[in-house]
Amino acid sequence: MDKMDNTIQNVSINEKMALDQKILIKQATLQHLTKMAPVDIEFTDLTYSVPTGRKGSKMILRGVSGQFKSGELTAILGPSGAGKSTLLNILAGYKCEGSNGLISINGQPRELRQFKRSSCYIMQEDLLQPRLTVLEAMRFAADLKLGNRLTPSEKLSAIHEITEVLRLKKAINTITERLSGGERRRLSIALELVNNPPVIFLDEPTTGLDELSSVQCIDLLQRVAQGGRTVICSIHTPSAKIFAKFQHVYVVAKGQCVYRGHAGNVVPFLQHIGIECPRHYNPADFVIEVSSGEYGNELVERMISYVDTISPITPITRIEYFQSELEQEITKISWYDQFRILLSRMMLQLYRNRNYLYLKLFLHIFLGIIIGSLFLGIGNDGSKTLFNFGFCFTCLIVFLYIPMLPVLLHFPSEVHLIKREHFNRWYDLSPYFCAHTLSSIPAQIILGLIYLTMVYLITGQPLETYRCVMFFSICLISSLISETMGLAIGSTLNIVNGIFLGPALSVPLMLFAVQGLGSAEKLPIYRTFVMYLSYIRYGLEGLITATYGYNREKLPCPKDEMYCHYRVPRELLHIMGMENVVIWVDFVALIVTLILFKALTYYLLRQRLQPNKTFRALHLIGRLVKNYFSIE
């Protein structure tokens, strides 16, 4: 009777477990999203090396092989420096230079461009678009990834389904900066699930989370994998509870595979090579300790030699040909739709960043009052014409630093976000760049006009329409050029180096611009060439000509002054060597400079995302030089 009761109890428990598993699979399937073909990844004899200067090269991966199958949650484990993150980067296509070996998708050689369109890579750092709620971030992701394949109501249903699965319902209207660490990690996963990718790579998803949040994160990934996706993550020292949730574990040591198989088979495998895992000891910690050589290098060598015997790799053969299905199922949205969605997102973020706008508004008003007070009423004073020249130069300096410095501080961080979203195929670079350019222009022009209106009136400049238009236009174009110069620097360098290089470059620009002023001698050709390499020179000539050119009448001389030599504007233009300046030539030169800087910024940003051979070679040379001169 007891045996029958136990049998009935076991049957009921098994039925309950099967029912729970069906519920989990149903929850993780995400019914509203497009179904994708299952993806199995196989890699054979994968190697990777990096140059190390005087020491030649260092081998990171040494011929590793393995399989990661759909429907399984896979963990890549190993001691620090074992090569687990490198393996993940190579499989995701994030790092390809220096690697060799065969990577197959469903039995077919991987075509990297197509594979990237079907996979996503969630980095260790949670990079989220700021000043957006969870719902808004999900909507923009759905619009960029799905386009018009689903109606707005279907997209909203899919978003609610994903947030329900990932337990983000309560935070649906929370700004991303106010999310907890676990919520940020889950949102990073949710954003990539919008188009239901069949392959998901995660770099240490539990780093920085407490034990409860880590368990919840892995539990959610397990549910996602049970929906038919291939989920692969590198993980650092998981707890026993987390370790037991992985259907497949791949352990790397010294660039070689020392174990592959189910998490529950780790202890028997270690027993087979001759070492017993202590009772009440975390198997994950123990296998990492053994593979790091803490119990002797002999055991590590034994693990490497036994892994192929105990866990042989069976070639994958699927009837479906994955890449041809992708061409039918994944369609990129149009350039205009990408531009429109990105511009809408940027304008919303700009509107939400009102404190920053208020600070810039206050700064422009403050500078307008200070500079206007310093040059009070000199615009129509024949005795202070040279001081008015200083005012024009000061305006150009203001529009050199004020637009550039904030960009140097925030754009390098934004580049990391662009890199992640672009790698995961959210959008192309050109619509992003155009949207970014257009979204920054209105605030730049409005704030510039506020400053210029104040100082122009306070300093008593000529109130003639065409002179005002020329003066304002040249200043505003100069501000756009300096902002673009900041973007070019920020797209290549980090914040520290950019903050150093930006002001350092501005000094020669200012010095070149004032060469030969007040001197009757003609400059040598090489100095003239260098002088006109500075866009500030064109701006300075334009402002002086707009203020004193076009046959401006004599300026009044104060009664307390006996003689005002430069009350005749032509005299100032002559001594400055600007009597033959054509303002439209300077204006066109500034427009051309702006276009060239925009093109340079786009090119540098493109090389940051997808470097060509030249930039890869330069990066390699820089790394070799750094390693050569590094202190051992």
Side-chain angles (χ1 to χ4, degrees):
M1 189 69 178
D2 293 337
K3 290 183 179 179
M4 185 177 296
D5 291 340
N6 291 335
T7 303
I8 293 172
Q9 186 177 2
N10 290 334
V11 170
S12 62
I13 291 173
N14 291 335
E15 288 178 351
K16 184 177 184 302
M17 291 176 63
L19 180 61
D20 290 343
Q21 188 173 8
K22 289 180 180 179
I23 292 172
L24 287 175
I25 293 174
K26 184 177 180 182
Q27 287 177 335
T29 302
L30 302 178
Q31 304 291 331
H32 290 85
L33 298 182
T34 305
K35 304 299 181 295
M36 301 294 291
V39 176
D40 293 334
I41 301 174
E42 182 177 354
F43 51 99
T44 307
D45 292 330
L46 206 60
T47 62
Y48 180 76
S49 60
V50 293
T52 56
R54 286 174 287 183
K55 299 178 181 179
S57 62
K58 180 182 178 182
M59 207 74 168
I60 305 297
L61 297 179
R62 303 171 181 271
V64 295
S65 302
Q67 289 178 343
F68 299 148
K69 297 181 179 180
S70 62
E72 292 183 348
L73 176 60
T74 299
I76 302 176
L77 276 73
S80 297
K84 55 184 183 294
S85 295
T86 301
L87 176 60
L88 190 73
N89 289 336
I90 293 173
L91 293 178
Y94 190 74
K95 183 186 294 183
C96 297
E97 287 294 319
S99 64
N100 292 294
L102 177 64
I103 301 176
S104 301
I105 307 299
N106 290 348
Q108 301 288 337
R110 181 181 70 175
E111 205 287 308
L112 186 59
R113 184 178 180 85
Q114 293 288 355
F115 178 72
K116 285 183 178 180
R117 296 176 63 187
S118 68
S119 63
C120 67
Y121 190 9
I122 301 172
M123 311 288 182
Q124 182 176 345
E125 184 180 0
D126 295 318
L127 298 173
L128 301 173
Q129 287 291 342
R131 296 177 291 280
L132 296 177
T133 65
V134 171
L135 179 59
E136 289 166 346
M138 292 290 292
R139 278 182 167 173
F140 283 120
D143 291 337
L144 287 168
K145 286 170 170 272
L146 300 175
N148 297 323
R149 282 189 291 166
L150 299 180
T151 63
S153 60
E154 289 174 334
K155 290 178 186 176
L156 189 59
S157 299
I159 289 170
H160 285 303
E161 189 176 10
I162 294 172
T163 53
E164 185 71 35
V165 170
L166 298 182
R167 293 200 298 274
L168 287 170
K169 275 287 186 182
K170 293 182 179 179
I172 197 75
N173 294 315
T174 304
I175 299 292
T176 54
E177 291 95 326
R178 299 176 185 172
L179 296 174
S180 66
E183 288 172 336
R184 291 176 64 85
R185 190 60 50 87
R186 293 200 297 273
L187 178 57
S188 298
I189 299 171
L191 292 172
E192 302 300 341
L193 285 180
V194 166
N195 60 337
N196 198 20
V199 184
I200 302 173
F201 296 95
L202 303 102
D203 187 14
E204 299 193 11
T206 60
T207 298
L209 302 181
D210 56 42
E211 180 63 18
L212 178 61
S213 298
S214 299
V215 171
Q216 291 175 344
C217 180
I218 298 301
D219 183 54
L220 293 171
L221 292 177
Q222 187 182 38
R223 292 165 64 181
V224 170
Q226 287 171 336
R229 298 168 192 84
T230 307
V231 183
I232 307 164
C233 59
S234 64
I235 192 165
H236 185 66
T237 59
S239 64
K241 186 175 183 180
I242 291 175
F243 185 70
K245 293 180 179 294
F246 291 101
Q247 288 87 13
H248 186 254
V249 173
Y250 194 91
V251 184
V252 184
K254 298 179 180 178
Q256 294 177 284
C257 177
V258 295
Y259 177 78
R260 54 176 179 256
H262 195 276
N265 295 331
V266 168
V267 174
F269 175 79
L270 294 174
Q271 291 174 344
H272 184 78
I273 66 169
I275 187 168
E276 187 77 28
C277 179
R279 185 173 294 183
H280 308 302
Y281 203 93
N282 182 3
D285 291 338
F286 189 70
V287 72
I288 291 175
E289 289 176 6
V290 174
S291 61
S292 64
E294 194 165 319
Y295 295 87
N297 291 325
E298 294 180 2
L299 289 175
V300 179
E301 297 298 329
R302 202 177 300 171
M303 292 172 73
I304 295 171
S305 59
Y306 282 3
V307 68
D308 290 328
T309 304
I310 297 176
S311 304
I313 298 175
T314 305
I316 298 173
T317 54
R318 279 192 181 274
I319 299 175
E320 303 95 347
Y321 185 50
F322 174 62
Q323 294 176 5
S324 62
E325 289 190 0
L326 275 179
E327 294 175 358
Q328 298 175 1
E329 294 177 351
I330 298 179
T331 55
K332 186 186 294 186
I333 66 173
S334 67
W335 188 97
Y336 174 75
D337 287 335
Q338 293 182 48
F339 169 77
R340 176 180 53 81
I341 295 166
L342 290 169
L343 181 61
S344 175
R345 186 178 75 178
M346 291 174 187
M347 295 305 293
L348 177 60
Q349 290 173 308
L350 184 64
Y351 172 75
R352 291 266 174 82
N353 199 13
R354 287 192 289 272
N355 289 335
Y356 174 69
L357 292 177
Y358 292 153
L359 180 62
K360 291 192 73 173
L361 176 62
F362 170 78
L363 179 61
H364 281 76
I365 294 175
F366 175 76
L367 287 174
I369 295 173
I370 294 297
I371 294 174
S373 301
L374 289 175
F375 297 96
L376 181 64
I378 66 172
N380 201 36
D381 189 336
S383 65
K384 298 180 178 179
T385 309
L386 290 177
F387 292 98
N388 203 32
F389 172 84
F391 163 73
C392 294
F393 193 56
T394 302
C395 286
L396 291 174
I397 294 175
V398 168
F399 285 112
L400 170 63
Y401 284 107
I402 298 303
M404 180 177 63
L405 293 180
V407 173
L408 295 176
L409 283 171
H410 76 79
F411 191 66
S413 302
E414 190 174 340
V415 170
H416 292 292
L417 254 174
I418 302 169
K419 194 171 184 179
R420 181 185 70 83
E421 293 179 343
H422 182 266
F423 180 81
N424 288 329
R425 301 288 172 174
W426 286 39
Y427 47 76
D428 294 328
L429 180 59
S430 58
Y432 171 86
F433 188 76
C434 292
H436 187 278
T437 300
L438 189 61
S439 64
S440 64
I441 289 177
Q444 192 83 343
I445 291 178
I446 292 172
L447 293 173
L449 287 175
I450 292 173
Y451 165 81
L452 287 170
T453 302
M454 292 179 62
V455 296
Y456 201 84
L457 294 175
I458 294 174
T459 57
Q461 302 302 322
L463 296 178
E464 300 175 52
T465 303
Y466 71 97
R467 295 187 189 275
C468 292
V469 170
M470 289 188 293
F471 193 99
F472 282 36
S473 300
I474 289 172
C475 287
L476 293 176
I477 293 174
S478 298
S479 71
L480 295 176
I481 292 174
S482 64
E483 181 191 45
T484 308
M485 186 169 66
L487 291 173
I489 297 171
S491 64
T492 306
L493 303 178
N494 59 25
I495 294 175
V496 175
N497 292 334
I499 285 294
F500 167 77
L501 184 62
L505 283 178
S506 65
V507 173
L509 286 177
M510 291 186 288
L511 294 177
F512 293 159
V514 296
Q515 284 191 101
L517 294 180
S519 175
E521 297 181 4
K522 190 175 181 180
L523 291 176
I525 186 65
Y526 73 92
R527 290 187 63 184
T528 304
F529 175 76
V530 170
M531 179 178 66
Y532 282 105
L533 285 178
S534 172
Y535 78 91
I536 297 179
R537 177 68 184 195
Y538 298 106
L540 191 58
E541 289 182 352
L543 294 185
I544 296 300
T545 305
T547 306
Y548 293 109
Y550 296 99
N551 299 317
R552 184 178 176 181
E553 296 180 355
K554 292 181 181 180
L555 278 67
C557 189
K559 294 180 180 180
D560 56 348
E561 294 288 341
M562 296 180 60
Y563 174 68
C564 298
H565 181 71
Y566 294 112
R567 65 178 299 191
V568 179
R570 281 194 297 272
E571 287 294 326
L572 177 69
L573 295 176
H574 175 72
I575 196 64
M576 293 298 174
M578 298 181 183
E579 65 271 19
N580 296 321
V581 168
V582 180
I583 193 170
W584 297 111
V585 174
D586 290 319
F587 187 81
V588 171
L590 289 173
I591 294 291
V592 171
T593 303
L594 177 61
I595 294 172
L596 290 177
F597 269 111
K598 287 290 183 185
L600 177 64
T601 303
Y602 180 82
Y603 177 75
L604 293 175
L605 197 55
R606 167 67 67 185
Q607 298 311 314
R608 183 72 180 271
L609 303 180
Q610 294 177 329
N612 57 24
K613 292 182 180 180
T614 303
F615 269 72
R616 286 198 296 265
L618 292 173
H619 179 71
L620 178 61
I621 293 171
R623 193 163 54 180
L624 288 172
V625 172
K626 183 178 179 180
N627 290 333
Y628 185 83
F629 290 103
S630 62
I631 299 175
E632 298 181 352

